Amino acid sequence: SLAMIVPSSGLLTGVSAGIVNVSYTSPNGCFTPRRIVVNPLPVTTVTPPSSVLCLGQTASFTTTSPDAEITLMSESFNSGLGGWSITNGTGSIDSWWKLVTPPGDMGFGGDGTPYLQTAATAFSSGATVSTITSPSFSTIGGFASVSVSFNQYLLSFAPDIAASVEYSIDGGATWNVAANQATTIVTDFGDDGNWLATNPEFSVTLPPAVLGQNDVRIRLVYNAQSLYWLVDNIRVKGISSPSTFTWSGAAGLSCTACASPSVTPTVTGTNAYNVVTTTGAGCTTSIPVSITVNALPAAITGTNTLCAGSTTILSSSTIGGTWSSSDTTIAITGPAATSTSATISGLAVGTSTI
């Protein structure tokens, strides 16, 4: 189920992404329909998901979220035309668009299920003119782009006029060409007549004019004298604009409206942060991020200088730690070092950090 509705109040709750049609029915039996787009929630990844620091150190985070997309219309033709309609001009009933079961008339397997075929050369001595048109669909939903994709196998010679994808935003009154694959040379679009539904051979992004429209249609127009065009698994998808990120929480954020903040906490313990991802459609998710900040040991007491060949004792009131030298050719910590003090031996002139 994509959505649940309370019949008495009309309260609608989105369950999963997709398109759902709802209606209100009056006591006389008449009803008003409404198309609802249930947009997907963003999928957010924060890297790293958490961090452990010493007080005064800085952690960096990167937030990513793929652009959300939703299928506005799709048709596999496995159960017929599914609301698509065919209109024909010149040619013959065998050369026009029709559904075929593999291997069809041309001997191609597709994905093993029925697909669309138009074939000029085999069944018509002149030009074949045939068009298949989709049902109406809506692009309302805050999308940044809308694209059409499908599996295909197309061979086209000159003087073929059209193997085109066209779109209409006024119910089919006027049409515009999104892509025309008719060519002046032999062109093989596809992979030898066999395809996978998940790997379309053709894709085109429709112009911005289609965005935010309630009555959009596409059609495949074939006007050719040679060879054939096979089509299957047509999908129209809407892609939302890039998501935005908002960070909040404990002190130390380098930015709040950003994807990749650096964080320098100011207190020890667990510092809690939160990032909210908002898609172009306004859907949000929230992810917690924690930074554990450990306290620095107490300051080291004792002299900062000594002569080469001599020793000195350094101390810290923090117990349980270990002592080390950044350059053991200049100074070393003696074997008598404890958890709170160490004998430092100067070996050579220079500077070493203890």
Side-chain angles (χ1 to χ4, degrees):
S1 176
L2 299 180
M4 297 186 298
I5 193 168
V6 180
S8 60
S9 65
L11 177 64
L12 186 72
T13 302
V15 176
S16 58
I19 298 172
V20 61
N21 293 309
V22 300
S23 62
Y24 176 77
T25 304
S26 65
N28 64 11
C30 298
F31 67 93
T32 299
R34 183 73 178 270
R35 176 184 177 275
I36 302 296
V37 176
V38 183
N39 288 290
L41 295 174
V43 178
T44 305
T45 302
V46 179
T47 307
S50 61
S51 184
V52 178
L53 303 175
C54 294
L55 187 64
Q57 292 182 326
T58 297
S60 295
F61 295 92
T62 299
T63 316
T64 58
S65 181
D67 295 341
E69 63 178 52
I70 191 168
T71 299
L72 304 178
M73 181 191 68
S74 66
E75 184 54 63
S76 66
F77 303 106
N78 292 346
S79 300
L81 290 178
W84 289 65
S85 59
I86 297 173
T87 56
N88 300 305
T90 59
S92 70
I93 190 172
D94 291 317
S95 68
W96 294 325
W97 281 116
K98 64 179 179 178
L99 275 180
V100 297
T101 300
D105 297 318
M106 300 294 103
F108 296 120
D111 62 2
T113 64
Y115 56 80
L116 292 171
Q117 170 194 289
T118 180
T121 298
F123 302 106
S124 179
S125 58
T128 289
V129 178
S130 187
T131 301
I132 183 165
T133 304
S134 77
S136 172
F137 60 92
S138 172
T139 58
I140 296 174
F143 302 111
S145 65
V146 172
S147 65
V148 179
S149 63
F150 49 79
N151 295 117
Q152 70 168 2
Y153 186 70
L154 168 66
L155 290 178
S156 181
F157 284 102
D160 291 352
I161 296 174
S164 60
V165 178
E166 301 181 0
Y167 67 93
S168 172
I169 58 175
D170 56 9
T174 57
W175 293 90
N176 300 280
V177 176
N180 188 356
Q181 300 178 95
T183 180
T184 56
I185 60 174
V186 178
T187 306
D188 180 347
F189 295 91
D191 44 11
D192 298 327
N194 299 293
W195 51 69
L196 295 173
T198 55
N199 186 30
E201 287 77 21
F202 174 86
S203 180
V204 63
T205 299
L206 299 179
V210 307
L211 299 177
Q213 301 293 326
N214 194 47
D215 188 1
V216 183
R217 301 159 197 254
I218 61 170
R219 68 181 185 181
L220 306 181
V221 179
Y222 189 62
N223 185 342
Q225 298 185 37
S226 56
L227 298 180
Y228 41 83
W229 193 9
L230 315 178
V231 173
D232 199 6
N233 302 312
I234 300 175
R235 182 192 181 201
V236 179
K237 67 179 179 181
I239 302 174
S240 67
S241 54
S243 297
T244 59
F245 307 100
T246 303
W247 285 78
S248 62
L253 283 164
S254 64
C255 57
T256 55
C258 57
S260 301
S262 59
V263 188
T264 307
T266 57
V267 295
T268 59
T270 299
N271 287 248
Y273 301 88
N274 189 71
V275 56
V276 175
T277 304
T278 305
T279 68
C283 301
T284 62
T285 55
S286 178
I287 292 182
V289 177
S290 66
I291 300 178
T292 301
V293 180
N294 294 315
L296 296 173
I300 296 174
T301 59
T303 182
N304 290 334
T305 62
L306 72 161
C307 298
S310 64
T311 61
T312 188
I313 295 178
L314 299 180
S315 300
S316 173
S317 61
T318 302
I319 63 174
T322 58
W323 294 88
S324 63
S325 171
S326 65
D327 191 338
T328 56
T329 65
I330 294 176
I332 59 173
T333 58
T338 68
S339 63
T340 57
S341 64
T343 299
I344 309 302
S345 299
L347 303 181
V349 175
T351 300
S352 179
T353 299
I354 304 300

